[in-house]
């Protein structure tokens, strides 16, 4: 965090504040981990904090220290609205523009509080009095560690903070595999382990708590895998029927897209998940090297994210969405061949 932003934040935090901390819609490990980690930190400085998520988060995160106190906007509209109305400060974490919080957007736009943004996605919007944005960072959770450090408060690192931040870093880097993982990321992880984050326990809690149904659903996903060697591309489809037959719960398809990317020679992978309730197809994109799925998702699927991990949606049927996807690929043939 640069000196100017650090000074602004220090000023904002000189007296006890009422702080709301909010993550993006469909919160992942980094959104939840960074928000909870920051919440414990700000509490230790004497502030009052509430963590609010636009909608529910996956069960595999429902053991993180402090998770029971998270307010889910979708379930508690009035309570959340009150928190935002009475807050002096709103920290927005792990997203780059207010349209990433779904229905909560208007509540945030109407709030009188000052905003602080901490995020590693591309193209941050300009709504905060303090913007700590760094697209090179592995995760927002790593940034929360640097945030504490910049404020001269690294000594406040508790076990609760460490476990949350370690989980956020681990999940957003695919267990320290993605190219966003820097030497500093590993140094931060080491400090978090020293502060009480038990890596083996966290790994088990996150990765070894699959339900039998979600394993069967992975079988269906792998069966549905289509490889397009000409475009170094692989994709997976999941129909609503397939999800229903396996008692689908939020988070069950997390990581499926990585199997498509793990095929030799593939540099671009996608998973298309039908959502009949919302009448759309949710898409996750992943890539290797310099093929930008952020650009791809922005250009064709009103989405975005990072260079190598992004998401978007389509309001067409699943079949039409796939046909359209295949028809777009020839335009990227050179870029896909050069990346591989
Ligand atoms: P996932 O595919 O795991 O849902 O998301 C991958 C990355 O892309 C995450 O960093 C997420 O925040 C971002 N992302 C996912 N869906 C969207 C979307 O619809 N719009 C934008 N701007 N980003 C998204
Ligand atoms: Mn993140």
């Amino acid at each position: 965090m640069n000196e100017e932003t650090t000074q602004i934040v220090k000023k904002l935090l000189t007296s006890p504040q009422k702080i709301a901390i909010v993550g993006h819609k469909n919160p992942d490990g980094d959104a939840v981990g960074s928000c909870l980690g920051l919440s414990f930190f700000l509490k230790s400085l004497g502030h009052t904090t509430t963590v609010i998520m636009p909608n529910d988060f996956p069960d595999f995160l429902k053991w993180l220290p402090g998770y029971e106190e998270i307010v889910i906007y979708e379930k508690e509209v009035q309570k959340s609205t009150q928190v935002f109305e009475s807050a002096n400060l709103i920290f927005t974490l792990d997203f780059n523009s207010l349209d990433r919080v779904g229905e909560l957007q208007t509540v945030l736009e109407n709030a009188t509080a000052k905003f602080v943004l901490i995020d590693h996605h591309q193209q941050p919007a300009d709504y905060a009095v303090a913007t700590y944005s760094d697209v090179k960072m592995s995760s927002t959770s790593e940034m929360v560690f640097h945030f504490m450090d910049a404020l001269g408060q690294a000594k406040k690192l508790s076990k609760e903070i460490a476990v949350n931040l370690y989980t956020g870093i681990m999940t957003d880097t695919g267990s320290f595999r993605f190219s966003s993982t820097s030497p500093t990321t590993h140094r931060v992880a080491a400090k978090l382990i020293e502060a009480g984050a038990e890596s083996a326990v966290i790994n088990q809690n996150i990765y070894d708590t699959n339900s039998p149904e979600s394993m069967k659903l992975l079988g269906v996903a792998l069966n549905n895998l289509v490889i397009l060697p000409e475009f170094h591309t692989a994709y997976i489809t999941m129909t609503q029927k397939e999800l229903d037959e396996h008692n689908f719960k939020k988070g069950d398809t997390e990581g499926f897209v990585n199997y498509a990317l793990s095929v030799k020679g593939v540099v671009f992978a996608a998973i298309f998940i039908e959502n009949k309730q919302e009448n759309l197809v949710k898409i996750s994109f992943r890539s290797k090297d310099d093929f930008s799925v952020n650009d791809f998702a922005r250009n064709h699927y009103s989405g975005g994210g990072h260079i190598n991990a992004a998401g978007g949606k389509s309001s067409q049927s699943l079949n039409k969405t796939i046909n359209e996807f295949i028809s777009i690929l020839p335009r990227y043939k050179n870029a896909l061949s050069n990346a591989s």
Side-chain angles (χ1 to χ4, degrees), residues 33-333:
S34 61
C35 287
L36 286 174
L38 179 70
S39 173
F40 278 108
F41 169 58
L42 292 174
K43 274 191 180 135
S44 78
L45 298 180
H47 305 288
T48 311
T49 62
T50 311
V51 174
I52 300 185
M53 293 294 163
N55 60 348
D56 205 357
F57 51 95
D59 282 354
F60 63 77
L61 298 171
K62 291 186 178 168
W63 58 273
L64 286 169
Y67 87 90
E68 326 85 328
E69 286 169 31
I70 296 178
V71 180
I72 308 291
Y73 172 73
E74 229 176 54
K75 292 184 186 168
E76 296 188 81
V77 172
Q78 247 189 328
K79 186 175 173 183
S80 331
T81 309
Q82 261 169 11
V83 171
F84 285 117
E85 280 172 355
S86 65
N88 326 101
L89 274 180
I90 299 175
F91 278 72
T92 67
L93 265 62
D94 202 35
F95 63 89
N96 56 351
S97 84
L98 292 180
D99 59 8
R100 294 282 294 124
V101 294
E103 311 273 296
L104 244 180
Q105 185 173 354
T106 42
V107 182
L108 290 184
E109 282 169 352
N110 290 331
T112 52
K114 289 181 173 153
F115 283 79
V116 178
L117 175 155
I118 306 179
D119 180 47
H120 65 140
H121 293 87
Q122 316 235 338
Q123 291 129 310
D126 187 19
Y127 58 80
V129 295
T131 296
Y132 174 28
S133 159
D134 188 345
V135 299
K136 291 211 168 67
M137 280 286 156
S138 69
S139 53
T140 303
S141 297
E142 179 179 338
M143 296 176 78
V144 170
F145 180 93
H146 297 309
F147 176 86
M148 293 174 63
D149 205 18
L151 296 182
Q153 300 288 355
K155 59 186 177 299
K156 291 277 180 190
L157 185 63
S158 62
K159 178 168 177 171
E160 284 93 351
I161 298 174
V163 170
N164 276 299
L165 298 186
Y166 189 93
T167 303
I169 296 173
M170 185 186 87
T171 52
D172 241 34
T173 57
S175 300
F176 304 93
R177 287 195 307 142
F178 302 154
S179 58
S180 57
T181 312
S182 70
T184 303
T185 312
H186 283 286
R187 280 186 205 106
V188 170
K191 292 207 167 120
L192 298 176
I193 293 170
E194 280 165 0
E198 294 173 280
S199 172
V201 173
I202 294 173
N203 266 279
Q204 273 182 32
N205 286 347
I206 296 289
Y207 296 119
D208 300 340
T209 51
N210 293 314
S211 67
E213 283 111 335
S214 77
M215 287 289 92
K216 298 267 186 204
L217 191 64
L218 173 61
V220 174
L222 295 178
N223 253 318
N224 292 350
L225 175 70
V226 177
I227 297 162
L228 306 169
E230 194 188 351
F231 300 111
H232 306 276
T233 295
Y235 69 87
I236 291 170
T237 53
M238 303 253 60
T239 63
Q240 183 72 62
K241 185 164 174 281
E242 288 166 334
L243 298 172
D244 292 344
E245 281 169 1
H246 294 85
N247 192 22
F248 169 76
K249 290 202 5 226
K250 198 175 267 299
D252 280 356
T253 52
E254 188 96 13
F256 283 13
V257 65
N258 295 323
Y259 287 93
L261 194 64
S262 74
V263 177
K264 191 170 182 182
V266 166
V267 296
F268 180 31
I271 183 165
F272 298 85
I273 302 174
E274 191 176 36
N275 184 333
K276 285 243 158 117
Q277 244 173 359
E278 294 189 29
N279 222 349
L280 53 82
V281 177
K282 178 79 186 97
I283 316 164
S284 287
F285 299 106
R286 298 292 185 269
S287 68
K288 290 198 166 135
D289 305 319
D290 55 3
F291 185 73
S292 171
V293 286
N294 174 49
D295 291 345
F296 193 90
R298 270 172 200 273
N299 291 342
H300 304 289
Y301 296 97
S302 26
H306 312 277
I307 288 183
N308 295 128
K313 50 188 174 292
S314 157
S315 48
Q316 312 254 44
S317 70
L318 183 59
N319 268 335
K320 272 199 172 153
T321 304
I322 297 297
N323 288 337
E324 190 187 75
F325 174 70
I326 293 170
S327 76
I328 294 170
L329 288 176
R331 283 182 241 168
Y332 291 88
K333 195 167 178 197

